[in-house]
Amino acid sequence: MSLLYKYDSRNLPVSYDMDVIVAGGGTAGAIAAIAAARNGMKVLLIEQFGGLGGTATQALVTPLMHSHINGNPLCSSISEEVNNKLIDLGYSFRDVGNNTGHFDPIILKMVLEEMAEEAGVTLLYYTHIIDVIVENNTIKGLIVDNKSGTSAVLGKRIIDCTGDGDVAYKAGVEFEKGNPKTGKNQPISVRYMMSGVDVKKFADFLNENYGSCNYNPPIFHTAMVWGGSWGLKPLFQKALDAGDITYDDGAYWQVFGVPGRKDGLAFNCPEIFDNIDGTNAEHLTQAQIKGKKAILRHLKFYKKYFPGFEDAYITEIATQVGVRETRRFKGLYTLTDEDLILNRKFKDYISRCNYPIDIHGYELTNGRVDAKDKDPIPYYEVPFRCLVPQGIENLILAGRCISASFLANSSLRIQVVARATGEAAGIASALSITRDIGFAQLSGEEVGKEMERKGAKFE
């Protein structure tokens, strides 16, 4: 007879009883689930879409940004394994800066799923978390809903990799959200990909007329933002004056090549600047609607102004809105503006990063701040304590919702760091269960050393 859990005057079936439940199978969650399973845990990974990778695959955020540390250490052996598998398949490469994070989102989705299954992770797609079961500052399980109905899933440790910290939010963990000066979140994006592009013809046109393209196959990159001296600004201004694009279309426009797609390009745009709360369903809905209208406008613009797009067509539009920042939860330690600016180091580090401050908006803030007391070693560290929220003993965070200031979040939100936090959370969950202690009692230094022992490279 199936176990039943009494919830809201109903007796719900218990569909799973596991060691570790990973909420969200995205950039951090897929890595966290694999790490926990490889450390002997029974792992359930709950995902709202039909595949793994989240931001990278559902939101089409490709490539991984370079950490801006010499040698680009990934701080995660599983992340390095993922990238190497993509290289072996012909859908990634190692560039001159040692960035192996170039990828085709569709192939990445398959690689992550294969690795999760090989590790023994139980995958549960098309499932939403609607509530948490909290008793005595401990999450006993989650209430989930899917086509099979509503049920309870029980677990000893919970890893919140939902991006927005949905589990932590439902459990009542204190959080901050938005720019402390304005209260607004960073802009959101609906990215897309195209094929049928004569990339060489397009690159030659850009370089011959605007000097604004980095083209060295398989590398392709170009961009345009109204502020600053971007080469493509005159062409975008001409199109704006003709009514072929809007001002927002040029506020942030960026294009990358895609490994394995010789005629394909990935677009980091359009960016949405109003109604941009990634925890508001109406805002997300409007972003998709506005985004698709903008993408169709972009297509017409390209065909009119860009040689090489004569036979181009849209192949993918992100099913998941690209959200840069929402809830940031209060942890045992909060990474501060000063920590980022001064390159502070911590004994319990689980990731390192030197990515610049990157705050999007009509006025783009992308750069660094000089300070007299800045550590000359050019990176800051993310301490394990930022992953451990206050108030819930068996919950750990990974991804962009960890404890950090708005400014610090604008740098550490990149996928390289998200993967490292996922690996740390997965390993920490196994150690916590084995030791029968809460995450707050676990040594972050030990977690970092265990990551290194398993092959994570921090330098």
Side-chain angles (χ1 to χ4, degrees):
M1 184 175 176
S2 300
L3 290 173
L4 296 176
Y5 188 87
K6 189 169 184 178
Y7 167 78
D8 193 25
S9 76
R10 293 177 290 169
N11 286 322
L12 297 180
V14 175
S15 52
Y16 294 92
D17 190 350
M18 311 294 279
D19 294 323
V20 178
I21 300 174
V22 180
T27 303
I31 304 299
I34 293 167
R38 286 182 176 180
N39 279 270
M41 298 295 103
K42 284 171 50 184
V43 179
L44 174 67
L45 193 161
I46 301 170
E47 168 56 38
Q48 63 178 325
F49 293 107
L52 303 179
T55 297
T57 60
Q58 310 295 349
L60 305 179
V61 180
T62 179
L64 303 186
M65 293 294 98
H66 195 289
S67 67
H68 288 224
I69 300 174
N70 187 38
N72 194 40
L74 300 182
C75 308
S76 163
S77 61
I78 298 174
S79 182
E80 190 165 342
E81 184 181 341
V82 170
N83 292 356
N84 287 338
K85 283 180 178 289
L86 288 165
I87 291 173
D88 291 343
L89 289 168
Y91 289 93
S92 184
F93 59 92
R94 188 181 303 274
D95 66 24
V96 293
N98 202 39
N99 186 2
T100 56
H102 309 268
F103 62 90
D104 181 322
I106 291 176
I107 306 301
L108 174 59
K109 193 183 300 185
M110 292 188 281
V111 166
L112 289 172
E113 190 169 273
E114 181 180 78
M115 289 176 64
E117 284 208 299
E118 288 176 350
V121 176
T122 299
L123 300 173
L124 186 62
Y125 292 149
Y126 304 112
T127 298
H128 295 269
I129 297 163
I130 60 174
D131 206 351
V132 298
I133 305 166
V134 181
E135 297 177 8
N136 300 320
N137 297 324
T138 299
I139 297 177
K140 297 297 184 181
L142 310 176
I143 305 299
V144 300
D145 191 72
N146 53 33
K147 291 291 186 181
S148 303
T150 304
S151 66
V153 296
L154 308 181
K156 297 182 180 73
R157 301 293 182 272
I158 314 295
I159 308 178
D160 189 339
C161 301
T162 59
D164 303 309
D166 292 338
V167 174
Y169 171 72
K170 293 178 191 300
V173 179
E174 186 179 344
F175 67 92
E176 295 179 343
K177 187 170 72 168
N179 189 327
K181 294 180 181 179
T182 65
K184 291 186 66 174
N185 297 110
Q186 287 213 46
I188 54 183
S189 299
V190 180
R191 294 177 67 147
Y192 62 100
M193 299 176 70
M194 296 184 70
S195 290
V197 182
D198 186 332
V199 178
K200 185 179 185 307
K201 185 177 181 180
F202 179 42
D204 288 345
F205 166 76
L206 293 177
N207 284 327
E208 289 169 8
N209 294 276
Y210 301 98
S212 60
C213 175
N214 177 13
Y215 179 57
N216 183 20
I219 292 174
F220 178 94
H221 178 254
T222 189
M224 213 302 287
V225 180
W226 289 123
S229 55
W230 296 84
L232 273 170
K233 189 173 181 179
L235 186 147
F236 271 72
Q237 187 64 54
K238 179 181 177 182
L240 179 64
D241 293 342
D244 293 320
I245 61 171
T246 67
Y247 182 86
D248 284 6
D249 291 331
Y252 195 88
W253 182 85
Q254 188 177 35
V255 191
F256 295 97
V258 183
R261 301 195 190 193
K262 294 181 180 180
D263 66 343
L265 294 173
F267 293 78
N268 182 13
C269 50
E271 202 158 277
I272 313 297
F273 297 92
D274 297 306
N275 298 323
I276 51 176
D277 183 350
T279 63
N280 184 310
E282 291 181 353
H283 288 195
L284 294 173
T285 300
Q286 288 302 311
Q288 280 285 354
I289 295 169
K290 291 178 184 177
K292 292 183 182 73
K293 288 179 180 177
I295 291 166
L296 184 57
R297 187 169 59 246
H298 289 189
L299 177 62
K300 295 175 181 177
F301 164 58
Y302 303 152
K303 286 183 175 289
K304 181 175 179 179
Y305 289 87
F306 289 153
F309 279 79
E310 293 82 359
D311 299 317
Y313 54 94
I314 297 165
T315 52
E316 288 93 30
I317 295 177
T319 54
Q320 177 179 323
V321 175
V323 177
R324 293 179 171 85
E325 173 267 340
T326 55
R327 304 182 188 112
R328 307 182 312 278
F329 289 86
K330 189 172 183 180
L332 298 184
Y333 184 84
T334 298
L335 197 73
T336 66
D337 298 0
E338 291 77 16
D339 294 334
L340 174 74
I341 292 167
L342 299 177
N343 291 332
R344 282 185 176 146
K345 313 298 189 289
F346 301 89
K347 290 182 179 180
D348 61 335
Y349 68 88
I350 47 85
S351 183
R352 290 172 174 168
C353 184
N354 192 36
Y355 197 73
I357 296 165
D358 187 22
I359 301 172
H360 286 231
Y362 285 124
E363 294 184 6
L364 179 67
T365 301
N366 185 278
R368 307 186 188 282
V369 177
D370 288 327
K372 183 178 67 174
D373 299 326
K374 195 174 189 127
D375 189 320
I377 301 174
Y379 58 78
Y380 64 90
E381 293 178 335
V382 179
F384 174 74
R385 288 164 290 159
C386 290
L387 280 60
V388 183
Q390 295 185 16
I392 302 292
E393 294 181 1
N394 67 332
L395 174 66
I396 191 166
L397 309 170
R400 61 177 169 81
C401 63
I402 66 172
S403 188
S405 69
F406 176 80
L407 191 78
N409 173 273
S410 78
S411 168
L412 66 76
R413 64 183 172 82
I414 63 172
Q415 293 182 77
V416 170
V417 177
R419 286 184 177 183
T421 62
E423 183 165 314
I427 289 172
S429 295
L431 290 173
S432 173
I433 289 173
T434 302
R435 305 279 172 78
D436 193 24
I437 56 175
F439 289 115
Q441 287 73 50
L442 188 63
S443 165
E445 289 183 66
E446 184 178 1
V447 174
K449 284 181 169 55
E450 183 65 13
M451 292 173 72
E452 289 189 87
R453 192 184 72 78
K454 291 182 180 300
K457 297 174 181 175
F458 289 87
E459 56 186 29

